[in-house]
Amino acid sequence: MELTTTVTELRYALDTFFFLLSGALVMWMAAGFAMLEAGLVRSKNTTEILTKNICLYAIACTMYLIVGYNIMYVDNGEGGWLPSIGMLIGTQAEGADHSLESDFFFQVVFVATAMSVVSGAVAERMKLASFLIFSVVLTAFIYPVEGYWTWGGGFLSEAGFSDFAGSGIVHMAGAAAALAGVLMLGARKGKYGKNGEIYPIPGSNMPLATLGTFILWFGWFGFNGGSQLMVSDFENATAVGQIFLNTNAAAAAGAIAALAVCKTTWGKADLTMILNGALAGLVAITADPLSPSPLAAVGIGVIAGALVVFSIVGLDKIKIDDPVGAISVHGVCGIFGLMVVPFSNADATFGAQLLGAVVIFGWVFGASLAVWAVLKYTVGIRVTEEEELAGMDLHDCGIDAYPEFVSVK
């Protein structure tokens, strides 16, 4: 009896540590988003984008602790539409595989990831205060509701919807909120001409953008690997190894595919597209990084890496201005990732996957559009043309990221 208790305690400790380590890796993705976005915006907007990223993370952690986690998981009925609101404190289940606190920590960094998707898409022209107010609503209410419908045991999980680590629940949801904000906000000044011309607005720091992508790639091993939830036995440890392998394979293939598309289409190796190609592969494999074979994971990455290039170009043609390509990476490739799950996972169906994608996108987009509209017609969401020209750093923060090289171009 003593030996059994000891083994149980060791497994509990190991799985708790695995959860915490995975959560820390996902938390580090916040730095990845910050560096990627700082590299892809103009220098006059760098301090503001960094401020957004650290503040949204802090807001996500606080609101999910106070409200969001309780909506998503605590005291909810199986298969429901409307969540209840229990209390996190004192609800550790007897015989649990890991601590409740480690579970919360792992979940809260996912919420911050969803909100991080929004910040890059609305960069360079949105008021900081309005963005932070929206962060409160998304992380406290909008995300937790669809999280309950899926991972929290609500009706989508009962319908057979499958999203292992969040291609739809996290990434597509963030993209849906971002798209609603971009539509309400409009394009940056000078991005599009009166006759349909598209004028590229280059980012300020490609080394930072590349560093951010590598940080995100690294953190994704915690994102997908940690979603196995256990590592303390043969089956789960083997599964985590497979997840790491497939995650890395899809990212690498996505980068190669984006490079190939750029070279064959324009004759140039567009670094920003290659970076987004790697991220596209990561987003797509996230829906199910366990079931596909390694070669299938490569195939998923290849398609996602090519798809994201055409999506970014396509959105530009219809004047949806996304400075970092977040809507294409996380939205278009998130949907793609959901819809390829049944090819390798016999428990998933195309009908259930489509239902989940439509419901999640519809809820997050509709709710976000309503919140953005309220903000637009009350406090406003866009800075003035003069403030946009001077830069968000001067308008919102009063600190230049590169004071020796100030420019208002």
Side-chain angles (χ1 to χ4, degrees):
M1 183 65 181
E2 183 179 355
L3 178 61
T4 303
T5 302
T6 302
V7 170
T8 300
E9 289 175 349
L10 286 173
R11 291 188 63 182
Y12 178 92
L14 179 58
D15 288 331
T16 295
F17 179 73
F18 175 63
F19 244 171
L20 293 172
L21 182 61
S22 298
L25 285 173
V26 181
M27 184 272 172
W28 186 231
M29 290 173 69
F33 278 111
M35 295 300 97
L36 176 66
E37 293 169 17
L40 293 180
V41 300
R42 288 167 289 184
S43 58
K44 63 183 179 181
N45 298 311
T46 305
T47 300
E48 195 262 357
I49 201 76
L50 296 173
T51 303
K52 282 166 60 177
N53 273 274
I54 194 166
C55 289
L56 75 85
Y57 181 80
I59 288 170
C61 292
T62 304
M63 297 312 301
Y64 196 65
L65 174 65
I66 297 172
V67 182
Y69 186 86
N70 300 301
I71 290 176
M72 191 165 168
Y73 286 112
V74 181
D75 295 337
N76 283 320
E78 295 292 326
W81 280 83
L82 296 176
S84 60
I85 302 180
M87 289 303 295
L88 172 64
I89 299 172
T91 56
Q92 177 73 48
E94 185 177 349
D97 296 317
H98 51 265
S99 75
L100 175 66
E101 291 79 8
S102 67
D103 178 79
F104 168 80
F105 177 67
F106 186 68
Q107 294 292 336
V108 76
V109 289
F110 276 55
V111 184
T113 297
M115 191 62 223
S116 295
V117 174
V118 183
S119 66
V122 300
E124 302 202 299
R125 73 271 202 206
M126 174 171 277
K127 290 181 177 180
L128 176 63
S130 299
F131 174 83
L132 297 180
I133 292 170
F134 179 80
S135 300
V136 171
V137 180
L138 180 83
T139 57
F141 179 67
I142 298 175
Y143 174 92
V145 168
E146 57 99 1
Y148 160 58
W149 292 341
T150 50
W151 289 335
F155 78 99
L156 286 178
S157 64
E158 291 292 304
F161 175 68
S162 178
D163 189 1
F164 185 89
S167 285
I169 298 167
V170 178
H171 295 281
M172 185 189 67
L179 178 61
V182 169
L183 292 177
M184 293 297 294
L185 192 61
R188 291 169 290 176
K189 296 296 181 182
K191 176 64 176 177
Y192 303 114
K194 294 181 180 179
N195 299 316
E197 303 93 343
I198 301 172
Y199 300 107
I201 301 178
S204 62
N205 195 320
M206 290 303 101
L208 270 188
T210 304
L211 175 63
T213 301
F214 274 120
I215 292 173
L216 287 168
W217 193 330
F218 176 69
W220 228 288
F221 295 120
F223 201 98
N224 287 356
S227 294
Q228 183 64 22
L229 308 182
M230 294 180 67
V231 74
S232 60
D233 58 35
F234 176 85
E235 182 180 354
N236 284 292
T238 303
V240 171
Q242 178 76 13
I243 290 167
F244 271 51
L245 191 162
N246 285 347
T247 298
N248 193 63
I256 294 170
L259 168 63
V261 171
C262 291
K263 286 292 288 183
T264 55
T265 305
W266 300 290
K268 302 291 183 182
D270 187 325
L271 176 61
T272 62
M273 291 294 190
I274 296 168
L275 299 179
N276 278 329
L279 297 176
L282 288 164
V283 169
I285 199 65
T286 293
D288 191 346
L290 177 59
S291 300
S293 68
L295 287 179
V298 169
I300 291 170
V302 166
I303 296 172
L307 182 62
V308 76
V309 176
F310 295 117
S311 176
I312 290 172
V313 173
L315 289 182
D316 245 355
K317 289 182 177 178
I318 59 175
K319 298 185 177 182
I320 293 179
D321 183 17
D322 179 357
V324 303
I327 296 170
S328 296
V329 170
H330 301 274
V332 174
C333 294
I335 294 171
F336 166 71
L338 291 176
M339 297 313 299
V340 298
V341 170
F343 286 108
S344 58
N345 188 339
D347 294 329
T349 65
F350 290 108
Q353 295 302 98
L354 181 61
L355 173 65
V358 170
V359 169
I360 293 170
F361 184 90
W363 160 250
V364 178
F365 179 81
S368 298
L369 194 67
V371 176
W372 288 126
V374 169
L375 290 172
K376 181 175 182 177
Y377 296 111
T378 53
V379 298
I381 61 175
R382 182 162 187 148
V383 297
T384 66
E385 187 171 348
E386 293 75 19
E387 291 166 341
E388 184 177 345
L389 179 63
M392 305 298 293
D393 290 1
L394 179 63
H395 170 63
D396 275 329
C397 302
I399 301 173
D400 292 312
Y402 310 105
E404 295 88 355
F405 307 98
V406 176
S407 172
V408 295
K409 293 181 179 179

